[in-house]
Amino acid sequence: MRKTVPFILSVLMIINHLSAQNFSGPEKHRILSGDTTALLKVLVYTNALDMEVLGAVSQDIDPNDPLLPLLSRRMYLSMRDTANPGVGIAAPQVGINRNAIWIQRFDKSGSPFELYINPQILKASILSRKGGEGCLSVPEERGKLMRNYAIMVTYQLFDGGWHTEMLEDFSAVIFQHEYDHLQGILFPDRMRMQQNELALPLPEGVELFIRPTLN
């Protein structure tokens, strides 16, 4: 792992440098639309035009784009709308097919909300967990999905630097849910994909532990 991950990061940095672009004209128009201190409308799967965005694969964004901080603030407000608050949101859900997500980190003190730019999942545990999920873009619906219990992720912040860390349990679930949005996948789609997947339950009475890596 120590040799593989730095290599993967190097490749990702090269790819990002070549593919990351600034916002297009229509994207700028949407980000600047209406009251820029207010939330952006969340797209829903029942609207055919919304689904053209929700069902598309998103592209990397230049972390230095001057409108990215504004988009992130408006995404946050959309996610925390008191009428229907959530614990995560992806840029496609507000009409921007770019790789940026907010998630709540329940595995950190104070359960902070954090923004991830151009996120990638590098590794995922074989161990999975099954739990209920909902979505701001699929209102009034919930479903049970399998998600990897632990994932190693990399992402950028506004300074453009790459950061790598491990997420576990529900925080990992939220990250995977929002990462799916960047691939044009909604949770009902993921549920259908999992219908015929083989998943073996652990023997009854098995105790699970997470140990630090040993030298």
Side-chain angles (χ1 to χ4, degrees):
M1 181 182 292
R2 292 178 180 174
K3 292 182 180 179
T4 303
V5 172
F7 173 75
I8 294 174
L9 281 174
S10 297
V11 173
L12 287 173
M13 290 171 68
I14 293 171
I15 292 174
N16 179 268
H17 178 73
L18 295 174
S19 64
Q21 303 291 328
N22 290 88
F23 290 115
S24 67
E27 289 171 334
K28 292 178 182 178
H29 178 76
R30 185 170 187 87
I31 294 168
L32 294 169
S33 64
D35 180 358
T36 57
T37 65
L39 56 78
L40 286 164
K41 174 181 173 290
V42 174
L43 307 189
V44 292
Y45 80 114
T46 50
N47 183 298
L49 291 177
D50 288 0
M51 274 305 300
E52 291 182 8
V53 178
L54 292 172
V57 176
S58 292
Q59 304 297 316
D60 283 344
I61 181 66
D62 183 347
N64 295 311
D65 189 290
L67 283 182
L68 186 53
L70 176 58
L71 172 64
S72 70
R73 288 195 297 272
R74 299 193 74 180
M75 283 174 61
Y76 178 85
L77 293 174
S78 300
M79 173 181 62
R80 299 306 295 163
D81 182 7
T82 55
N84 187 27
V87 294
I89 196 168
Q93 291 181 270
V94 294
I96 305 293
N97 279 127
R98 295 291 182 165
N99 292 330
I101 63 175
W102 276 99
I103 73 164
Q104 187 167 13
R105 292 294 299 268
F106 289 99
D107 56 343
K108 289 186 175 182
S109 177
S111 301
F113 286 90
E114 296 183 353
L115 176 75
Y116 302 108
I117 303 166
N118 302 325
Q120 295 283 341
I121 297 177
L122 300 177
K123 288 180 176 289
S125 65
I126 295 176
L127 180 67
S128 296
R129 55 162 289 181
K130 189 172 187 177
E133 293 184 29
C135 180
L136 298 176
S137 293
V138 190
E140 301 178 359
E141 290 193 28
R142 290 189 63 81
K144 284 196 170 183
L145 288 86
M146 298 287 291
R147 298 287 189 184
N148 301 95
Y149 182 83
I151 53 176
M152 179 178 287
V153 306
T154 187
Y155 57 88
Q156 290 178 284
L157 299 178
F158 290 115
D159 61 7
W162 285 94
H163 304 263
T164 304
E165 62 180 303
M166 187 79 74
L167 283 75
E168 299 166 351
D169 205 8
F170 192 45
S171 296
V173 169
I174 301 170
F175 192 103
Q176 291 170 81
H177 178 110
E178 302 308 333
Y179 187 75
D180 269 354
H181 276 297
L182 304 182
Q183 317 307 312
I185 300 171
L186 301 180
F187 84 81
D189 302 321
R190 181 62 69 185
M191 288 177 63
R192 285 189 287 273
M193 294 176 190
Q194 294 180 353
Q195 284 179 349
N196 298 317
E197 284 186 1
L198 177 64
L200 302 175
L202 293 173
E204 186 176 351
V206 170
E207 295 186 82
L208 299 177
F209 301 88
I210 296 176
R211 300 177 63 207
T213 301
L214 300 178
N215 292 326

